Each structure stands twice: as C-alpha cells, then as structure tokens.
Amino acid sequence: MVGMGDWGFLTNHARALLYIANDPEARLRDLALSLDVTERTAYGIMADLTEAGYIVKEKDGRRNRYHIQVHLPL
C-alpha cells in the first residue's frame, strides 16, 4: 500500500503558484526547498509559469517580485 507521503494531488507547478501567492518576494532557493527540488528545477518551473503568462516577474534591485495573474483559468 502506498503511503500519503509518496504522492500528492498537486503538481510542482501548482505548488509553486501557491507558494508565490503566499510570498511574492520569495527567493528561488526558498521555493526549491519548499518543493523539495533543485534550484534549477525551480527555475524551470518559474520559467514555465512565466512563459504561460501565469506569473509576471518584476525586477526589484537584485531580487525578483512575482505577480500571479489571477484572472487566468487554472
């Protein structure tokens, strides 16, 4: 029997959106730790979400601030 820790209902992309919704100023490193993925994978997820238009990235000095486009359908 598979335990609940072995799977989940949400994809990493959905989990990334939830994380950014709670902390728009999150660092990529923090996102990667939260998702339990490498920073490279987290970067790829954010690039996917940005390319699809779900997230708009705004440069704020050396940091990025992310804005979720809530009007788009999930």
Side-chain angles (χ1 to χ4, degrees):
M1 186 161 152
V2 176
M4 187 63 186
D6 297 335
W7 62 277
F9 288 104
L10 299 176
T11 66
N12 281 341
H13 287 68
R15 292 174 57 216
L17 278 174
L18 289 171
Y19 191 85
I20 294 302
N22 287 319
D23 186 3
E25 295 181 15
R27 298 176 306 166
L28 203 56
R29 176 177 300 172
D30 300 327
L31 177 63
L33 285 171
S34 170
L35 299 177
D36 195 27
V37 298
T38 64
E39 285 186 47
R40 176 178 258 182
T41 298
Y43 178 84
I45 290 169
M46 294 304 286
D48 289 346
L49 292 171
T50 301
E51 184 178 320
Y54 284 95
I55 290 180
V56 174
K57 181 170 60 170
E58 174 189 352
K59 198 75 168 148
D60 185 15
R62 294 181 55 208
R63 308 250 341 233
N64 292 320
R65 181 175 190 77
Y66 299 100
H67 303 279
I68 296 175
Q69 304 302 295
V70 296
H71 64 282
L72 294 177
L74 294 176

